[in-house]
Amino acid sequence: MKIFDPITINQLELKNRLVMPPMCMYQVFKKDGFVTDFHKSHYHARAMGEVGLIIVESTGVSSEGRISSYDLRIYSDDHITGLSELVKAAHTHGSKIAIQLNHAGRKSTSDDPVHYGPSAIRSYDYLDVPTELSIHEIKRIIQDFKMAAQRANKAGFDAFEIHGAHGYLIHQFLSPISNIREDEYGQNKLLFLQQIIEAIKSEFDKTLILRISADEFNTEGYDVNDMINYLREVEKDIDCIHVSSGGNVRPNKEIVVQPGYQVFLSDKIKNKLNTPTIAVGLLNTEEDIVNVLENDHADLVACGRELLRDSNLYLRIAKKYDRKDLIPKYYERAYR
Ligand SMILES: Cc1cc2nc3c(=O)[nH]c(=O)nc-3n(C[C@H](O)[C@H](O)[C@H](O)COP(=O)(O)O)c2cc1C
């Protein structure tokens, strides 16, 4: 069964196909972006539960632009040591670990003095109208992504995930709803992402995952076919596509949020491109998780809230499909 099979993506060798997707835990109470004891236990527990790839929550690359004031950050060298402890914990149990690099742009709810966007258009009514980024600030943020990747590399992460989804800054640039600029970043809505990828890739060839909102489910926005055209342009530089959806504007197309509701997007992208995909979204049962892979809709499966409820989800799947040999010695008696 594929869920139990190893896979290699670029140089990243994973022992199985279960992914913990990035999930902000809002546990940085000092608002300084440093890893706390909470994060160490939280990620360590999923490594003990044999998750193949852990993707650490959205981590702010700039001195502004966190999703919230309580997020992890990586804009200073001082953040490296704490992050390296998460890496150590994952590696102790043979899990691989990536970090999600993000700038929240106009969707930031942090107490930063300024919230930027590609254009001065707010996302949701409860958020402020953002300050339109100057070309100079855009270039600075691209450098921030590059520096963040360097720091993540120093911390020992096995891979990086660029957050291009859920209405955060990169997604804001990609969407005609939030990007009405008249300069080159508006003419070519992919340019900001392309330059971030180039900046990171100029440093090293570490496995690069791109998280996308494949469809905005809004008649004014882009759809999955537009996204596939975007992806064709960057495909040569990315190793894996993490397929989510929405988050930039309220949908005005019908979407039924049900188990596996985003899997068709992963399937479509996987069929059109040659890059491995991660499917995500309400994949909570052993059957649903396994079937995504058996039916070739994706190469990996990410389970978010289910891994919050049960850090030993992988062991549950192993038991269900009679692979008790995969259960680590320390928990063996619980799965007999
Ligand atoms: C508490 C929480 C925090 C989240 N934070 C992030 C995040 O930091 N970055 C991100 O790309 N997605 C984030 N997400 C979305 C998840 O990665 C995932 O795509 C979503 O929960 C759907 O998967 P699930 O149904 O398996 O939970 C978050 C979700 C939850 C529940």
Side-chain angles (χ1 to χ4, degrees):
M1 226 165 221
K2 288 185 185 159
I3 186 75
F4 306 122
D5 291 346
I7 184 171
T8 302
I9 297 170
N10 193 348
Q11 308 101 320
L12 181 68
E13 290 175 19
L14 304 177
K15 63 182 172 182
N16 62 52
R17 311 290 181 98
L18 183 65
V19 177
M20 178 186 192
M23 286 178 285
C24 282
M25 289 288 106
Y26 314 111
Q27 293 300 306
V28 186
F29 295 115
K30 287 190 187 157
K31 302 186 182 180
D32 54 10
F34 284 95
V35 164
T36 66
D37 286 344
F38 169 87
H39 299 98
K40 291 178 203 165
S41 311
H42 173 67
Y43 291 108
H44 199 153
R46 274 69 201 178
M48 290 178 77
E50 294 290 309
V51 170
L53 175 65
I54 294 168
I55 308 177
V56 169
E57 64 201 77
S58 167
T59 302
V61 299
S62 298
S63 59
E64 83 290 336
R66 292 161 287 176
I67 294 180
S68 83
S69 297
Y70 306 99
D71 294 343
L72 293 177
R73 313 178 84 176
I74 189 165
Y75 75 86
S76 145
D77 286 351
D78 296 340
H79 293 121
I80 296 173
T81 306
L83 291 166
S84 70
E85 295 200 35
L86 306 184
V87 173
K88 203 163 43 175
H91 287 175
T92 305
H93 298 280
S95 298
K96 295 293 163 65
I97 184 163
I99 182 167
Q100 187 180 55
L101 303 176
N102 189 26
H103 190 297
R106 68 178 191 161
K107 223 178 148 187
S108 171
T109 58
S110 72
D111 51 18
D112 295 335
V114 56
H115 295 159
Y116 291 114
S119 305
I121 304 170
R122 84 165 108 208
S123 42
Y124 299 109
D125 312 341
Y126 60 88
L127 292 168
D128 296 334
V129 175
T131 302
E132 179 173 313
L133 282 161
S134 68
I135 294 274
H136 175 74
E137 286 156 342
I138 291 175
K139 303 272 183 215
R140 191 258 305 160
I141 293 173
I142 292 166
Q143 279 308 302
D144 288 345
F145 270 94
K146 176 175 171 168
M147 295 300 292
Q150 279 177 9
R151 293 186 190 106
N153 192 45
K154 281 193 188 139
F157 282 97
D158 302 297
F160 313 124
E161 179 173 277
I162 296 177
H163 198 350
H166 301 168
Y168 297 111
L169 190 60
I170 293 172
H171 184 171
Q172 291 159 32
F173 270 90
L174 294 174
S175 171
I177 298 176
S178 39
N179 179 358
I180 55 163
R181 297 177 72 92
E182 288 180 353
D183 61 12
E184 71 244 54
Y185 290 96
Q187 300 296 321
N188 175 3
K189 297 191 170 29
L190 189 61
L191 186 61
F192 182 58
L193 172 60
Q194 279 173 318
Q195 292 184 339
I196 288 171
I197 294 172
E198 267 167 36
I200 293 177
K201 280 287 187 188
S202 69
E203 287 295 308
F204 26 62
D205 184 29
K206 207 159 230 192
T207 302
L208 191 57
I209 304 166
L210 174 63
R211 192 166 221 211
I212 51 156
S213 283
D215 201 309
E216 298 200 281
F217 298 128
N218 187 297
T219 46
E220 308 295 312
Y222 66 73
D223 66 15
V224 63
N225 296 316
D226 301 317
M227 176 49 75
I228 287 168
N229 289 333
Y230 279 150
L231 291 170
R232 286 192 208 284
E233 300 281 320
V234 293
E235 193 186 11
K236 67 176 183 356
D237 288 322
I238 52 174
D239 303 298
C240 186
I241 305 166
H242 193 168
V243 187
S244 191
S245 69
N248 193 32
V249 283
R250 287 190 209 291
N252 63 11
K253 292 186 195 168
E254 201 194 346
I255 32 163
V256 184
V257 180
Q258 61 190 12
Y261 72 105
Q262 297 178 141
V263 171
F264 79 100
L265 296 167
S266 163
D267 185 73
K268 189 154 187 175
I269 289 168
K270 191 171 157 52
N271 278 313
K272 297 273 180 195
L273 303 172
N274 287 317
T275 306
T277 63
I278 307 174
V280 67
L282 285 177
L283 293 165
N284 297 336
T285 67
E286 293 91 325
E287 289 89 344
D288 284 350
I289 294 164
V290 160
N291 285 340
V292 167
L293 298 174
E294 294 308 309
N295 294 323
D296 260 339
H297 298 314
D299 301 272
L300 296 140
V301 178
C303 301
R305 286 161 290 182
E306 194 56 24
L307 271 169
L308 296 184
R309 285 185 283 269
D310 179 4
S311 59
N312 295 323
L313 169 63
Y314 184 76
L315 313 188
R316 221 171 77 202
I317 304 171
K319 179 171 187 211
K320 168 115 187 163
Y321 295 103
D322 217 17
R323 288 295 309 269
K324 290 187 194 153
D325 57 302
L326 295 172
I327 292 168
K329 197 124 197 82
Y330 41 85
Y331 292 150
E332 219 171 52
R333 288 180 64 187
Y335 291 88
R336 273 186 191 156

